[in-house]
Amino acid sequence: MSDPATSPSLSPVWTRLTDIRPVRGEGAWLEDERGERWLDMTSGIGVTNTGHAHPRVVAAVREQAERLFFGQANIVRLPQAEALAQRLGRVTPDGIDTFFFSNSGAEAIEAAVKLARHATGRANLIVFQGSFHGRTHQAMAMTTSKTAYRHRYQPLPAGTFVAPFPYALQLGMDEERAIDFALAQLDLLFATQSAPDETAAMVIEPVLGEGGYVPAPARFLAGLRKRCDEHGILLALDEVQSGFGRTGTMFAVDHAGVRPDVLIMAKGLGSGFPISAIGASADLMAHWEPGTHGGTYGGGNAVVLAAASATIDVIVDEDLPAAAARRGEQLRDGLRTIVDRYGISAHVRGPGLMVGVEFVGRHGPDAELAKHVLRGCLDERMLILGCGPAGNVIRWIPPLVASEDDVAQALQRFERAVRRSLTRLERAS
Ligand code: PLP
């Protein structure tokens, strides 16, 4: 009999952190088929914000599944879609009150681009260095977090221009200078590559995700807003990874107090059920001509919609943004103590439970140490991911329901992984 771990039934295109086979999950924990428990600091890349199998989401799914699975959005008006839109309207920034549903983050990016082009009658987009927006061709054209995501898929759709992101450490500047530099380069881009009157939208992650877990400073986002207002350009915020309580507020942009024209959401919205959304004002959405966009499944799966509504209820009722802020502080404090204790040069940053630890060696990014620590965490039965173009950032995205004890355990496992990595690297050198 073929070994299921190596059998050719799944495409090799998926890279995989581990070969563990989870059979159940609860909160921040996964249990594999051998009965071993794994501490999950990935949330499936920012998806299970409410934790694995939250009882209220389970109940909503069960109840809906017994009544109706599906009602296609072009054929019927599903009450579950309207209920979700109402809930989203209560938690999204002021002015965002009209929603379009799809299935994945990349599909929501596609929808945002199509809305922006229709509404403005303009073609071009501006994105920011290091962003990740997804795997479809349009989203790939907007993604510059790693060459691997576009390698051998080029040429990609035209009309996308890349401006610098104020990633101070990468630019070798302090934050204020990095902001000035990035805004000046954006103005230069308007003067030399995409005139403002042919630019439909700027699309930005308020916290760079795959690109290294780097928050966009509030002054930078305000600078984008100002330029968008001056030139009639739409500001679209990709909150696919940073949304739904992750950063200590419902959306990361709430920290900056900047008004988005389009909000792009996915991941944490469905607790693991595939759903994404874009939100905009009713006025802006009115420019989207009926029939010019859609899809079979978007906004049509009543079970998924019920899961998403239950997810928002849990986030609000349990005040998960506040929980993320508290646990995030505990995590960052603990991580700083550990890097200091072992004399490691590392930057610990990020709001709420969207925390990055960037290892920096004497000659630049220290990917070697990050790689060893990541492997060491797996040896400790803790799931955790890296990010950043150099692979020297470890990112922490635990479920927002992680308890104080879960975070304390995660820190202990991380410390043991760091200690062993340092010993191994000393031995190796
Ligand atoms: N945008 C951001 C910020 C993301 O982190 C991701 C996925 O990681 C996407 C878009 C694409 O989402 P999906 O993988 O659901 O297509």
Side-chain angles (χ1 to χ4, degrees):
M1 213 175 89
S2 66
D3 174 0
T6 54
S7 87
S9 58
L10 296 177
S11 169
V13 77
W14 276 299
T15 56
R16 200 172 290 111
L17 184 67
T18 73
D19 277 318
I20 72 163
R21 292 157 174 273
V23 289
R24 67 177 60 83
E26 189 182 350
W29 293 86
L30 282 175
E31 189 184 315
D32 70 19
E33 61 184 7
R34 292 186 306 188
E36 280 172 2
R37 277 162 55 79
W38 293 75
L39 189 47
D40 182 7
M41 293 291 118
T42 71
S43 301
I45 324 186
V47 170
T48 54
N49 287 11
T50 58
H52 293 287
H54 192 289
R56 284 180 66 185
V57 180
V58 172
V61 166
R62 187 174 289 142
E63 198 177 304
Q64 185 56 49
E66 282 170 0
R67 291 159 182 255
L68 178 73
F69 289 172
F70 190 66
Q72 211 281 328
N74 297 112
I75 299 175
V76 296
R77 186 182 272 270
L78 262 191
Q80 290 78 12
E82 292 182 328
L84 179 58
Q86 270 164 24
R87 280 177 174 79
L88 278 172
R90 287 199 286 269
V91 298
T92 46
D94 284 352
I96 303 284
D97 57 14
T98 307
F99 301 92
F100 173 84
F101 298 122
S102 46
N103 308 288
S104 67
E107 273 184 86
I109 292 286
E110 295 274 346
V113 170
K114 288 175 79 170
L115 169 64
R117 286 186 168 145
H118 253 215
T120 61
R122 302 174 183 179
N124 291 347
L125 305 167
I126 295 178
V127 295
F128 296 85
Q129 176 56 45
S131 303
F132 183 90
H133 295 295
R135 308 282 198 153
T136 57
H137 277 76
Q138 179 61 47
M140 271 194 288
M142 298 162 68
T143 290
T144 54
S145 56
K146 258 189 206 136
T147 320
Y149 296 127
R150 44 168 66 209
H151 189 53
R152 298 208 204 132
Y153 293 119
Q154 316 228 31
L156 296 170
T160 299
F161 297 83
V162 185
F165 188 97
Y167 185 166
L169 191 60
Q170 198 176 63
L171 293 171
M173 299 173 184
D174 65 41
E175 185 167 289
E176 293 307 312
R177 276 197 58 211
I179 297 169
D180 292 339
F181 169 78
L183 290 174
Q185 289 291 311
L186 177 60
D187 291 335
L188 188 63
L189 193 155
F190 282 140
T192 58
Q193 297 186 59
S194 178
D197 69 359
E198 52 182 359
T199 305
M202 297 186 196
V203 185
I204 186 164
E205 290 167 83
V207 181
L208 210 55
E210 291 283 330
Y213 269 39
V214 191
R219 183 161 76 82
F220 181 66
L221 292 176
L224 302 190
R225 178 72 267 169
K226 182 167 168 278
R227 285 159 179 78
C228 286
D229 288 342
E230 274 166 16
H231 302 299
I233 297 169
L234 299 177
L235 182 60
L237 291 179
D238 179 347
E239 292 252 15
V240 166
Q241 195 162 154
S242 57
F244 297 101
R246 170 64 49 200
T247 66
T249 48
M250 189 55 86
F251 292 96
V253 69
D254 299 337
H255 292 284
V258 165
R259 180 181 59 81
D261 295 301
V262 182
L263 194 71
I264 303 163
M265 302 162 268
K267 292 187 185 276
L269 172 57
S271 291
F273 286 83
I275 183 161
S276 59
I278 63 168
S281 68
D283 282 353
L284 182 56
M285 282 280 185
H287 287 87
W288 220 3
E289 210 179 309
T292 61
H293 190 53
T296 301
Y297 291 105
N301 188 303
V303 180
V304 172
L305 293 161
S309 281
T311 297
I312 294 177
D313 290 347
V314 168
I315 293 173
V316 170
D317 294 348
E318 297 186 14
D319 200 358
L320 292 186
R326 279 194 304 274
R327 295 286 74 79
E329 210 177 320
Q330 179 192 356
L331 181 60
R332 283 186 303 277
D333 285 352
L335 290 169
R336 288 192 180 114
T337 305
I338 294 168
V339 299
D340 286 352
R341 186 175 295 147
Y342 293 90
I344 298 168
S345 170
H347 293 244
V348 176
R349 60 171 176 250
L353 284 174
M354 191 163 181
V355 175
V357 182
E358 176 158 8
F359 293 98
V360 192
R362 227 173 292 144
H363 307 293
D366 192 349
E368 187 67 10
L369 180 55
K371 202 172 72 191
H372 275 80
V373 174
L374 282 168
R375 207 175 300 142
C377 288
L378 292 179
D379 293 341
E380 291 284 333
R381 293 208 193 100
M382 178 163 76
L383 299 175
I384 192 161
L385 291 164
C387 63
N392 65 324
V393 183
I394 292 183
R395 57 170 146 169
W396 298 78
I397 344 168
L400 310 185
V401 294
S403 67
E404 191 173 349
D405 184 57
D406 292 336
V407 173
Q409 285 205 44
L411 287 164
Q412 284 163 12
R413 289 169 197 226
F414 180 75
E415 177 162 6
R416 288 196 293 268
V418 165
R419 195 186 312 134
R420 272 202 313 277
S421 300
L422 291 173
T423 312
R424 264 190 215 134
L425 286 170
E426 266 164 27
R427 272 189 207 141
S429 61

